[in-house]
Amino acid sequence: MAMTGVLRPGHAVVRVLDLEESVDFYGRVMGLKETGRDKSGRVYFKCWDERDHNSFVIRKADRAGLDAFGFKVRDKATLDRLESDLKAYGVTTERMPAGEMLETGERVRFKVPTGHVIELYAEKKDVGNGMPYVNPEAWTPDAEKGIAPIRMDHCLIYGGDIDGNRKLFEEVLGFSLVERVKLEDGVTDLATWLTCSTKAHDIAMVRHAEDGKLHHVSFLLDSWERVLRAADLMSRNRVSIDIGPTR
């Protein structure tokens, strides 16, 4: 697949109820690396093997949820083209200035039919992963800190018009449908999985009565053994586990 437009998920901005507890969880238990804080109270993290400045951002709020989910695009020309395509499709867009998020360039922000805010951006500061580009080691000491995922991988959102979401992602942003679950009528989609890359999926959606809901943001581990280790670390730290590990 030619990577000519939207490249991959780039960041999730999540609202949390207890900032101090969340910083401890994502930093110490998850093993994400804190890369900065801004004047609005947002705390920025990256996974150990990611080179961009941030991929997961949290802020304190009265209601938990997803502020925005961002995708990195190929370059600024692609960002401009996609914004034009969105407007032609009838979508209202907003330009967020460079630097409004730490070390992140201009972002194009818009809402999809389920009410979720999606962002596109082309530039984010390369802070490295602690290893050189030439002849790097297999991993850094940060890879052993906490659960230590390799990267932020995808999100699953809930809302009503997932059909409208899929149409926008496919027809404007160039995503592909890779999997779906249908209701008993054999026609209506209960859930869909979409990809902009060569991965199994980059965003997933489940039909739900209430719009704007987040089910999860997912992080990648590189083996089944690392998943089992993560479960042990969650148990040791008394982290509530909804389900799993499963196949």
Side-chain angles (χ1 to χ4, degrees), residues 67-78:
D67 272 350
F69 194 76
F71 291 90
K72 190 169 189 177
V73 305
R74 183 179 183 184
D75 50 30
K76 191 176 185 303
T78 302

Side-chain angles (χ1 to χ4, degrees), residues 60-103:
K60 181 179 174 59
D62 294 332
R63 185 182 181 190
L66 180 69
D67 272 350
F69 194 76
F71 291 90
K72 190 169 189 177
V73 305
R74 183 179 183 184
D75 50 30
K76 191 176 185 303
T78 302
L79 186 68
D80 294 339
R81 173 178 61 80
L82 289 174
E83 182 178 30
S84 178
D85 291 346
L86 285 163
K87 289 180 177 179
Y89 192 77
V91 177
T92 299
T93 66
E94 180 184 6
R95 279 270 179 165
M96 306 301 292
E100 194 278 333
M101 277 183 62
L102 289 183
E103 307 296 355

Side-chain angles (χ1 to χ4, degrees), residues 48-49 129 131 135-140 143 222:
W48 72 267
D49 201 28
N129 64 358
M131 296 184 290
N135 295 327
E137 299 293 343
W139 46 269
T140 73
D222 60 0

Side-chain angles (χ1 to χ4, degrees), residues 148-209:
I150 296 173
R151 68 167 187 260
M152 191 273 289
D153 191 76
H154 69 266
C155 73
L156 171 60
I157 57 176
Y158 278 27
D161 189 8
I162 64 171
D163 304 312
N165 277 12
R166 180 169 66 85
K167 187 176 181 183
L168 189 156
F169 273 92
E170 288 181 335
E171 295 183 5
V172 183
L173 302 179
F175 282 61
S176 300
L177 177 70
V178 291
E179 189 175 353
R180 69 204 318 172
V181 172
K182 290 190 174 294
L183 294 172
E184 290 80 357
D185 62 12
V187 177
T188 306
D189 285 335
L190 170 64
T192 56
W193 288 258
L194 303 171
T195 185
C196 62
S197 63
T198 57
K199 288 163 49 186
H201 56 275
D202 293 297
I203 189 168
M205 310 169 194
V206 171
R207 194 178 301 277
H208 187 71

Side-chain angles (χ1 to χ4, degrees), residues 14-32:
V14 175
R15 302 186 303 272
V16 300
L17 302 180
D18 188 319
L19 187 64
E20 184 177 343
E21 182 180 0
S22 297
V23 167
D24 177 69
F25 171 75
Y26 288 109
R28 182 178 59 83
V29 182
M30 283 291 292
L32 305 187

